Amino acid sequence: MQHKLIEDENGWATVVAIVDAGDEAVSCLTDAARAHDLSAASVTGVGAVEHATVGWYDLDRQEYEQIEVDEQAELLSLVGDVARGPDGSVALHAHVVLGLRTGETRGGHLLEATVRPTLEAVFRQSPAQLRKTFRPEFGLALIDLDQSTED
């Protein structure tokens, strides 16, 4: 994987990450966000995968139902955000839509994916600090604007 800061002006930054074939997407994108100390960013991406696991969140059970995509698929859209988790670490939250050979799609919360041949992602960082707080009623850490700050 490669990642590079391509713009940094007045607290706004743009980071591009290129994930290589065979690499695991979630860990690579998280590593890129961590390397550039992102804390209030949006992320978008396109590419392709040879395998992916996406999730549909079952609120009643407070866990993800896994949806396996065990074939080559176009990564038609990756959208998400980066904030700081309850422990202060970088927390990536990304959703994807995957296009299959038949034209059908699968989508959901990106749990893991093996890239093939590439994933191209762009992070856009604001000068703010977004923090997540664990919400027991949902079983998730969600962005908490009361804990977030503007720089």
Side-chain angles (χ1 to χ4, degrees):
M1 175 188 61
Q2 302 172 45
H3 48 84
K4 183 176 184 179
L5 176 69
I6 62 167
E7 178 185 24
D8 190 359
E9 186 174 325
N10 299 322
W12 290 89
T14 302
V15 172
V16 174
I18 308 299
V19 183
D20 298 320
D23 287 347
E24 198 288 307
V26 175
S27 62
C28 286
L29 294 176
T30 301
D31 288 349
R34 187 177 299 121
H36 294 277
D37 199 29
L38 302 182
S39 61
S42 61
V43 60
T44 59
V46 296
V49 300
E50 65 181 358
H51 168 80
T53 304
V54 297
W56 179 84
Y57 194 70
D58 184 327
L59 189 56
D60 292 333
R61 291 186 9 234
Q62 295 190 355
E63 62 184 40
Y64 285 100
E65 289 186 19
Q66 294 187 0
I67 302 163
E68 299 293 330
V69 178
D70 230 357
E71 61 185 275
Q72 183 73 26
E74 292 289 323
L75 197 162
L76 302 173
S77 176
L78 178 148
V79 297
D81 60 51
V82 176
R84 296 294 176 158
D87 64 356
S89 64
V90 168
L92 172 72
H93 181 195
H95 288 196
V96 295
V97 177
L98 302 171
L100 308 181
R101 177 185 300 267
T102 62
E104 296 175 291
T105 58
R106 299 287 184 274
H109 180 90
L110 181 60
L111 296 171
E112 72 87 23
T114 304
V115 172
R116 182 167 179 244
T118 191
L119 184 149
E120 302 162 343
V122 178
F123 294 90
R124 183 75 171 135
Q125 168 72 23
S126 84
Q129 295 279 322
L130 291 178
R131 302 288 279 189
K132 292 186 176 205
T133 300
F134 184 75
R135 301 276 306 272
E137 69 271 30
F138 301 124
L140 297 167
L142 303 175
I143 292 175
D144 182 346
L145 293 178
D146 290 336
Q147 298 297 316
S148 300
T149 62
E150 293 181 35
D151 281 352

